[in-house]
Short mmCIF file of all heavy atoms in Angstrom, two decimals:
data_model
loop_
_atom_site.label_atom_id
_atom_site.label_comp_id
_atom_site.label_asym_id
_atom_site.label_seq_id
_atom_site.Cartn_x
_atom_site.Cartn_y
_atom_site.Cartn_z
N MET Z 237 -18.30 -34.93 18.27
CA MET Z 237 -16.95 -34.38 18.42
C MET Z 237 -16.36 -33.86 17.05
O MET Z 237 -15.81 -32.91 17.00
CB MET Z 237 -15.99 -35.38 19.08
CG MET Z 237 -14.64 -34.85 19.45
SD MET Z 237 -14.96 -33.71 20.83
CE MET Z 237 -13.31 -33.36 21.28
N ILE Z 238 -16.46 -34.76 16.11
CA ILE Z 238 -16.08 -34.45 14.75
C ILE Z 238 -16.80 -33.24 14.17
O ILE Z 238 -16.30 -32.40 13.53
CB ILE Z 238 -16.10 -35.60 13.76
CG1 ILE Z 238 -15.08 -36.71 14.35
CG2 ILE Z 238 -15.75 -35.36 12.42
CD1 ILE Z 238 -15.12 -38.02 13.53
N ALA Z 239 -18.13 -33.27 14.43
CA ALA Z 239 -18.99 -32.15 13.89
C ALA Z 239 -18.63 -30.83 14.43
O ALA Z 239 -18.49 -29.78 13.79
CB ALA Z 239 -20.53 -32.39 14.17
N THR Z 240 -18.28 -30.83 15.74
CA THR Z 240 -17.80 -29.68 16.44
C THR Z 240 -16.52 -29.07 15.73
O THR Z 240 -16.34 -27.91 15.51
CB THR Z 240 -17.62 -29.75 18.04
OG1 THR Z 240 -18.82 -30.38 18.48
CG2 THR Z 240 -17.23 -28.61 18.67
N SER Z 241 -15.66 -29.97 15.51
CA SER Z 241 -14.25 -29.63 14.78
C SER Z 241 -14.56 -29.00 13.47
O SER Z 241 -13.84 -28.00 13.10
CB SER Z 241 -13.36 -30.83 14.86
OG SER Z 241 -13.08 -31.26 15.97
N ILE Z 242 -15.51 -29.67 12.79
CA ILE Z 242 -15.73 -29.16 11.43
C ILE Z 242 -16.35 -27.74 11.50
O ILE Z 242 -15.97 -26.78 10.69
CB ILE Z 242 -16.56 -30.15 10.70
CG1 ILE Z 242 -15.90 -31.34 10.34
CG2 ILE Z 242 -17.16 -29.50 9.34
CD1 ILE Z 242 -16.72 -32.48 9.68
N VAL Z 243 -17.40 -27.51 12.52
CA VAL Z 243 -17.91 -26.26 12.53
C VAL Z 243 -16.98 -25.06 12.96
O VAL Z 243 -16.93 -24.03 12.43
CB VAL Z 243 -19.10 -26.30 13.59
CG1 VAL Z 243 -19.62 -24.95 13.93
CG2 VAL Z 243 -20.24 -27.18 13.02
N VAL Z 244 -16.06 -25.49 13.91
CA VAL Z 244 -15.12 -24.53 14.49
C VAL Z 244 -14.21 -24.15 13.24
O VAL Z 244 -13.88 -22.97 13.07
CB VAL Z 244 -14.37 -25.08 15.63
CG1 VAL Z 244 -13.18 -24.38 15.95
CG2 VAL Z 244 -15.25 -25.21 16.82
N GLY Z 245 -13.78 -25.22 12.46
CA GLY Z 245 -12.83 -24.96 11.37
C GLY Z 245 -13.48 -24.02 10.30
O GLY Z 245 -12.82 -23.27 9.77
N LEU Z 246 -14.81 -24.26 10.06
CA LEU Z 246 -15.50 -23.46 9.05
C LEU Z 246 -15.63 -22.01 9.51
O LEU Z 246 -15.47 -21.09 8.81
CB LEU Z 246 -16.85 -24.06 8.76
CG LEU Z 246 -16.85 -25.27 7.90
CD1 LEU Z 246 -18.22 -25.95 7.71
CD2 LEU Z 246 -16.36 -24.99 6.53
N VAL Z 247 -16.01 -21.90 10.89
CA VAL Z 247 -16.03 -20.53 11.35
C VAL Z 247 -14.74 -19.78 11.26
O VAL Z 247 -14.72 -18.57 10.84
CB VAL Z 247 -16.61 -20.61 12.89
CG1 VAL Z 247 -16.50 -19.23 13.50
CG2 VAL Z 247 -18.05 -21.03 12.81
N LEU Z 248 -13.65 -20.42 11.68
CA LEU Z 248 -12.45 -19.76 11.51
C LEU Z 248 -12.02 -19.42 10.16
O LEU Z 248 -11.47 -18.41 9.87
CB LEU Z 248 -11.34 -20.61 12.23
CG LEU Z 248 -11.36 -20.76 13.74
CD1 LEU Z 248 -10.35 -21.73 14.27
CD2 LEU Z 248 -11.22 -19.43 14.41
N THR Z 249 -12.31 -20.30 9.14
CA THR Z 249 -12.09 -20.09 7.75
C THR Z 249 -12.86 -18.85 7.28
O THR Z 249 -12.27 -17.97 6.56
CB THR Z 249 -12.30 -21.39 6.98
OG1 THR Z 249 -11.47 -22.39 7.45
CG2 THR Z 249 -12.05 -21.14 5.50
N VAL Z 250 -14.08 -18.74 7.59
CA VAL Z 250 -14.95 -17.71 7.15
C VAL Z 250 -14.49 -16.34 7.74
O VAL Z 250 -14.37 -15.47 7.20
CB VAL Z 250 -16.43 -17.96 7.45
CG1 VAL Z 250 -17.28 -16.73 7.26
CG2 VAL Z 250 -16.90 -19.24 6.55
N LEU Z 251 -14.20 -16.43 9.12
CA LEU Z 251 -13.65 -15.25 9.79
C LEU Z 251 -12.32 -14.78 9.09
O LEU Z 251 -12.17 -13.48 8.84
CB LEU Z 251 -13.51 -15.59 11.21
CG LEU Z 251 -13.07 -14.37 12.11
CD1 LEU Z 251 -14.07 -13.26 12.24
CD2 LEU Z 251 -12.63 -14.84 13.56
N THR Z 252 -11.44 -15.65 8.78
CA THR Z 252 -10.21 -15.22 8.15
C THR Z 252 -10.40 -14.67 6.91
O THR Z 252 -9.87 -13.59 6.42
CB THR Z 252 -9.25 -16.56 8.02
OG1 THR Z 252 -9.08 -17.05 9.36
CG2 THR Z 252 -7.97 -16.15 7.39
N LEU Z 253 -11.34 -15.21 5.96
CA LEU Z 253 -11.65 -14.77 4.71
C LEU Z 253 -12.18 -13.37 4.82
O LEU Z 253 -11.80 -12.52 4.06
CB LEU Z 253 -12.64 -15.74 4.04
CG LEU Z 253 -13.08 -15.13 2.60
CD1 LEU Z 253 -12.05 -15.08 1.69
CD2 LEU Z 253 -14.22 -16.15 2.06
N VAL Z 254 -13.22 -13.05 5.74
CA VAL Z 254 -13.79 -11.84 5.96
C VAL Z 254 -12.80 -10.76 6.26
O VAL Z 254 -12.73 -9.67 5.68
CB VAL Z 254 -15.07 -11.92 6.94
CG1 VAL Z 254 -15.43 -10.53 7.34
CG2 VAL Z 254 -16.09 -12.71 6.30
N LEU Z 255 -12.01 -11.01 7.24
CA LEU Z 255 -10.81 -10.12 7.66
C LEU Z 255 -9.87 -9.76 6.58
O LEU Z 255 -9.42 -8.65 6.43
CB LEU Z 255 -10.19 -10.72 9.00
CG LEU Z 255 -10.97 -10.69 10.22
CD1 LEU Z 255 -10.20 -11.39 11.37
CD2 LEU Z 255 -11.48 -9.33 10.65
N THR Z 256 -9.59 -10.80 5.80
CA THR Z 256 -8.63 -10.65 4.58
C THR Z 256 -9.29 -9.64 3.72
O THR Z 256 -8.62 -8.69 3.14
CB THR Z 256 -8.40 -11.86 3.93
OG1 THR Z 256 -7.71 -12.84 4.92
CG2 THR Z 256 -7.42 -11.71 2.82
N LEU Z 257 -10.65 -9.84 3.32
CA LEU Z 257 -11.25 -8.94 2.31
C LEU Z 257 -11.31 -7.50 2.93
O LEU Z 257 -11.21 -6.58 2.10
CB LEU Z 257 -12.55 -9.54 1.99
CG LEU Z 257 -12.46 -10.89 1.16
CD1 LEU Z 257 -13.89 -11.42 0.99
CD2 LEU Z 257 -11.79 -10.66 -0.11
N VAL Z 258 -11.68 -7.41 4.14
CA VAL Z 258 -11.78 -6.04 4.76
C VAL Z 258 -10.46 -5.33 4.66
O VAL Z 258 -10.35 -4.13 4.44
CB VAL Z 258 -12.29 -6.16 6.20
CG1 VAL Z 258 -12.19 -4.85 6.94
CG2 VAL Z 258 -13.75 -6.55 6.24
N THR Z 259 -9.38 -6.04 5.06
CA THR Z 259 -8.02 -5.53 4.97
C THR Z 259 -7.56 -5.07 3.55
O THR Z 259 -7.11 -3.91 3.33
CB THR Z 259 -6.93 -6.47 5.54
OG1 THR Z 259 -7.42 -6.79 6.92
CG2 THR Z 259 -5.61 -5.90 5.56
N ILE Z 260 -7.90 -5.89 2.58
CA ILE Z 260 -7.55 -5.53 1.27
C ILE Z 260 -8.35 -4.34 0.71
O ILE Z 260 -7.78 -3.38 0.10
CB ILE Z 260 -7.79 -6.71 0.30
CG1 ILE Z 260 -6.79 -7.83 0.64
CG2 ILE Z 260 -7.76 -6.38 -1.11
CD1 ILE Z 260 -7.03 -9.08 -0.12
N SER Z 261 -9.71 -4.19 1.22
CA SER Z 261 -10.41 -3.15 0.70
C SER Z 261 -9.96 -1.89 1.37
O SER Z 261 -9.87 -0.81 0.70
CB SER Z 261 -11.97 -3.48 1.25
OG SER Z 261 -12.71 -2.31 0.97
N LYS Z 262 -9.58 -1.92 2.61
CA LYS Z 262 -8.97 -0.65 3.28
C LYS Z 262 -7.74 -0.22 2.59
O LYS Z 262 -7.50 0.90 2.43
CB LYS Z 262 -8.75 -0.93 4.74
CG LYS Z 262 -10.00 -0.90 5.50
CD LYS Z 262 -9.74 -0.93 7.05
CE LYS Z 262 -11.04 -0.75 7.86
NZ LYS Z 262 -10.78 -0.51 9.33
N GLY Z 263 -6.89 -1.14 2.27
CA GLY Z 263 -5.61 -0.85 1.65
C GLY Z 263 -5.83 -0.22 0.25
O GLY Z 263 -5.19 0.77 -0.16
N TYR Z 264 -6.80 -0.68 -0.48
CA TYR Z 264 -7.09 0.00 -1.84
C TYR Z 264 -7.77 1.37 -1.73
O TYR Z 264 -7.63 2.13 -2.59
CB TYR Z 264 -7.98 -0.96 -2.62
CG TYR Z 264 -7.13 -2.08 -3.40
CD1 TYR Z 264 -7.30 -3.37 -3.14
CD2 TYR Z 264 -6.21 -1.66 -4.43
CE1 TYR Z 264 -6.61 -4.34 -3.89
CE2 TYR Z 264 -5.50 -2.62 -5.11
CZ TYR Z 264 -5.70 -3.99 -4.78
OH TYR Z 264 -5.00 -4.87 -5.46
N SER Z 265 -8.42 1.59 -0.66
CA SER Z 265 -9.17 2.84 -0.52
C SER Z 265 -8.25 3.97 0.24
O SER Z 265 -8.75 5.05 0.25
CB SER Z 265 -10.44 2.74 0.39
OG SER Z 265 -10.11 2.30 1.64
N TYR Z 266 -7.04 3.53 0.62
CA TYR Z 266 -6.18 4.48 1.25
C TYR Z 266 -5.55 5.52 0.18
O TYR Z 266 -5.25 5.12 -0.83
CB TYR Z 266 -4.98 3.74 1.88
CG TYR Z 266 -4.05 4.72 2.70
CD1 TYR Z 266 -4.36 5.20 3.88
CD2 TYR Z 266 -2.91 5.16 2.09
CE1 TYR Z 266 -3.53 6.01 4.60
CE2 TYR Z 266 -1.93 6.00 2.78
CZ TYR Z 266 -2.39 6.42 4.05
OH TYR Z 266 -1.64 7.27 4.64
N LYS Z 267 -5.69 6.86 0.54
CA LYS Z 267 -5.26 7.83 -0.43
C LYS Z 267 -3.76 8.14 -0.10
O LYS Z 267 -3.61 8.71 1.06
CB LYS Z 267 -6.07 9.09 -0.32
CG LYS Z 267 -5.49 10.33 -0.99
CD LYS Z 267 -6.55 10.63 -2.07
CE LYS Z 267 -6.10 11.99 -2.78
NZ LYS Z 267 -5.13 11.74 -3.76
N HIS Z 268 -2.87 7.82 -0.92
CA HIS Z 268 -1.42 8.14 -0.82
C HIS Z 268 -1.16 9.45 -1.18
O HIS Z 268 -1.65 9.88 -2.19
CB HIS Z 268 -0.61 7.11 -1.67
CG HIS Z 268 -0.76 5.74 -1.16
ND1 HIS Z 268 -0.12 5.17 -0.13
CD2 HIS Z 268 -1.54 4.65 -1.69
CE1 HIS Z 268 -0.37 3.87 0.02
NE2 HIS Z 268 -1.31 3.56 -0.83
N THR Z 269 -0.36 10.21 -0.42
CA THR Z 269 0.17 11.54 -0.80
C THR Z 269 1.64 11.62 -0.83
O THR Z 269 2.35 10.86 -0.14
CB THR Z 269 -0.47 12.48 0.20
OG1 THR Z 269 -0.04 12.26 1.54
CG2 THR Z 269 -2.03 12.60 0.29
N ILE Z 270 2.14 12.52 -1.54
CA ILE Z 270 3.52 12.80 -1.65
C ILE Z 270 3.80 14.15 -1.23
O ILE Z 270 3.18 15.12 -1.66
CB ILE Z 270 4.10 12.55 -3.16
CG1 ILE Z 270 3.82 11.06 -3.46
CG2 ILE Z 270 5.56 12.87 -3.09
CD1 ILE Z 270 4.09 10.93 -4.94
N ASP Z 271 4.72 14.39 -0.19
CA ASP Z 271 5.11 15.73 0.16
C ASP Z 271 5.86 16.40 -0.87
O ASP Z 271 6.73 15.93 -1.54
CB ASP Z 271 6.02 15.62 1.50
CG ASP Z 271 5.32 15.07 2.68
OD1 ASP Z 271 4.03 15.23 2.67
OD2 ASP Z 271 5.89 14.55 3.59
N PRO Z 272 5.71 17.80 -1.04
CA PRO Z 272 6.41 18.49 -2.10
C PRO Z 272 7.93 18.56 -1.72
O PRO Z 272 8.32 18.53 -0.59
CB PRO Z 272 5.74 19.84 -2.10
CG PRO Z 272 5.11 20.00 -0.71
CD PRO Z 272 4.76 18.63 -0.39
N LEU Z 273 8.75 18.64 -2.77
CA LEU Z 273 10.24 18.62 -2.48
C LEU Z 273 10.59 20.14 -2.08
O LEU Z 273 9.97 21.07 -2.54
CB LEU Z 273 10.97 18.31 -3.80
CG LEU Z 273 10.95 16.90 -4.27
CD1 LEU Z 273 11.60 16.72 -5.53
CD2 LEU Z 273 11.58 16.00 -3.26
N ASN Z 274 11.61 20.20 -1.22
CA ASN Z 274 12.16 21.50 -0.94
C ASN Z 274 13.10 21.91 -2.02
O ASN Z 274 13.49 21.11 -2.92
CB ASN Z 274 12.99 21.41 0.25
CG ASN Z 274 12.18 21.03 1.50
OD1 ASN Z 274 11.08 21.40 1.60
ND2 ASN Z 274 12.78 20.38 2.55
N LYS Z 275 13.37 23.20 -2.12
CA LYS Z 275 14.20 23.72 -3.21
C LYS Z 275 15.55 22.99 -3.23
O LYS Z 275 16.05 22.72 -4.35
CB LYS Z 275 14.37 25.25 -3.06
CG LYS Z 275 13.30 26.04 -3.68
CD LYS Z 275 13.20 25.93 -5.11
CE LYS Z 275 12.08 26.84 -5.65
NZ LYS Z 275 11.87 26.61 -6.97
N GLU Z 276 16.18 22.77 -2.11
CA GLU Z 276 17.58 21.99 -2.12
C GLU Z 276 17.47 20.67 -2.44
O GLU Z 276 18.49 19.96 -2.74
CB GLU Z 276 18.24 22.30 -0.75
CG GLU Z 276 17.52 21.72 0.45
CD GLU Z 276 16.50 22.74 1.06
OE1 GLU Z 276 16.41 23.86 0.59
OE2 GLU Z 276 15.96 22.36 2.10
N ASP Z 277 16.25 20.06 -2.28
CA ASP Z 277 16.09 18.66 -2.73
C ASP Z 277 15.65 18.26 -4.14
O ASP Z 277 15.58 17.19 -4.54
CB ASP Z 277 15.00 17.94 -1.75
CG ASP Z 277 15.55 17.95 -0.27
OD1 ASP Z 277 16.63 18.12 -0.08
OD2 ASP Z 277 14.55 17.97 0.61
N GLU Z 278 15.38 19.41 -4.86
CA GLU Z 278 14.92 19.12 -6.28
C GLU Z 278 16.06 18.51 -7.01
O GLU Z 278 17.28 18.74 -6.91
CB GLU Z 278 14.60 20.44 -6.87
CG GLU Z 278 13.25 20.89 -6.34
CD GLU Z 278 12.78 22.21 -7.05
OE1 GLU Z 278 13.44 22.61 -8.10
OE2 GLU Z 278 11.90 22.80 -6.54
N VAL Z 279 15.54 17.69 -7.91
CA VAL Z 279 16.52 16.82 -8.78
C VAL Z 279 16.88 17.78 -10.00
O VAL Z 279 15.90 18.31 -10.67
CB VAL Z 279 15.93 15.49 -9.19
CG1 VAL Z 279 16.80 14.76 -10.25
CG2 VAL Z 279 15.59 14.75 -8.09
N ARG Z 280 18.09 17.91 -10.31
CA ARG Z 280 18.51 18.64 -11.52
C ARG Z 280 18.42 17.81 -12.72
O ARG Z 280 18.83 16.64 -12.71
CB ARG Z 280 19.91 19.24 -11.29
CG ARG Z 280 20.05 20.17 -10.25
CD ARG Z 280 21.38 20.80 -10.18
NE ARG Z 280 21.48 21.78 -9.08
CZ ARG Z 280 22.45 21.94 -8.35
NH1 ARG Z 280 23.55 21.22 -8.54
NH2 ARG Z 280 22.54 22.81 -7.41
N GLU Z 281 17.99 18.37 -13.78
CA GLU Z 281 17.89 17.58 -15.02
C GLU Z 281 19.11 17.89 -15.92
O GLU Z 281 19.52 18.93 -16.02
CB GLU Z 281 16.48 18.03 -15.89
CG GLU Z 281 15.28 17.61 -15.03
CD GLU Z 281 14.15 17.92 -15.91
OE1 GLU Z 281 14.28 18.11 -17.04
OE2 GLU Z 281 12.98 18.09 -15.26
N PHE Z 282 19.54 16.77 -16.55
CA PHE Z 282 20.61 16.89 -17.39
C PHE Z 282 20.39 16.40 -18.80
O PHE Z 282 19.56 15.51 -18.88
CB PHE Z 282 21.90 16.09 -16.83
CG PHE Z 282 22.44 16.62 -15.58
CD1 PHE Z 282 22.03 16.29 -14.33
CD2 PHE Z 282 23.55 17.63 -15.66
CE1 PHE Z 282 22.56 16.86 -13.18
CE2 PHE Z 282 24.07 18.01 -14.54
CZ PHE Z 282 23.57 17.72 -13.26
N SER Z 283 20.94 17.02 -19.88
CA SER Z 283 20.67 16.55 -21.21
C SER Z 283 21.65 15.32 -21.29
O SER Z 283 22.48 14.95 -20.51
CB SER Z 283 20.98 17.59 -22.05
OG SER Z 283 22.32 18.12 -22.06
N GLY Z 284 21.54 14.65 -22.49
CA GLY Z 284 22.35 13.45 -22.77
C GLY Z 284 23.88 13.83 -22.76
O GLY Z 284 24.63 12.95 -22.63
N ASN Z 285 24.24 14.97 -23.11
CA ASN Z 285 25.68 15.33 -23.17
C ASN Z 285 26.27 15.78 -21.83
O ASN Z 285 27.41 16.20 -21.83
CB ASN Z 285 25.96 16.46 -24.35
CG ASN Z 285 25.18 17.71 -23.99
OD1 ASN Z 285 24.64 17.85 -22.95
ND2 ASN Z 285 25.23 18.63 -25.02
N GLY Z 286 25.53 15.79 -20.76
CA GLY Z 286 26.08 16.06 -19.46
C GLY Z 286 25.86 17.52 -19.07
O GLY Z 286 26.33 17.89 -18.01
N LYS Z 287 25.29 18.33 -19.91
CA LYS Z 287 25.13 19.73 -19.56
C LYS Z 287 23.66 19.90 -18.82
O LYS Z 287 22.81 19.24 -19.16
CB LYS Z 287 25.06 20.59 -20.77
CG LYS Z 287 26.46 20.61 -21.51
CD LYS Z 287 26.46 21.58 -22.66
CE LYS Z 287 27.84 21.60 -23.35
NZ LYS Z 287 27.73 22.40 -24.53
N ARG Z 288 23.71 20.69 -17.87
CA ARG Z 288 22.47 20.93 -17.17
C ARG Z 288 21.53 21.77 -18.06
O ARG Z 288 21.84 22.63 -18.71
CB ARG Z 288 22.79 21.87 -15.90
CG ARG Z 288 21.54 21.81 -14.94
CD ARG Z 288 21.91 22.63 -13.65
NE ARG Z 288 23.20 22.33 -13.15
CZ ARG Z 288 23.70 23.12 -12.19
NH1 ARG Z 288 23.11 24.21 -11.80
NH2 ARG Z 288 24.87 22.84 -11.78
N LEU Z 289 20.25 21.39 -17.94
CA LEU Z 289 19.23 22.09 -18.76
C LEU Z 289 18.71 23.34 -18.05
O LEU Z 289 18.74 23.47 -16.84
CB LEU Z 289 18.03 21.14 -19.02
CG LEU Z 289 18.21 19.85 -19.77
CD1 LEU Z 289 17.03 19.04 -19.90
CD2 LEU Z 289 18.62 20.32 -21.24
#
């Protein structure tokens, strides 16, 4: 009975480790993209004295 519990615990631990590593790997391989800004959404740049560049 104790051996069965140990085996089940080890299987669950290994399964959790494998799924965690697969998830992390997929997260790092995901290509993030940024949509281009519309003209009205563009940020205006200002110089240090408050005048627009």
Side-chain angles (χ1 to χ4, degrees):
M237 188 70 173
I238 293 175
T240 306
S241 297
I242 291 174
V243 170
V244 169
L246 287 174
V247 168
L248 289 175
T249 302
V250 170
L251 180 65
T252 302
L253 177 63
V254 168
L255 290 176
T256 300
L257 294 175
V258 167
T259 302
I260 290 171
S261 176
K262 282 188 176 188
Y264 276 115
S265 66
Y266 183 79
K267 172 116 172 85
H268 295 277
T269 58
I270 299 174
D271 295 334
L273 290 175
N274 296 332
K275 280 292 186 187
E276 61 269 3
D277 293 337
E278 287 184 10
V279 176
R280 295 184 178 141
E281 294 183 23
F282 291 88
S283 63
N285 59 9
K287 293 183 180 177
R288 193 179 319 161
L289 296 176

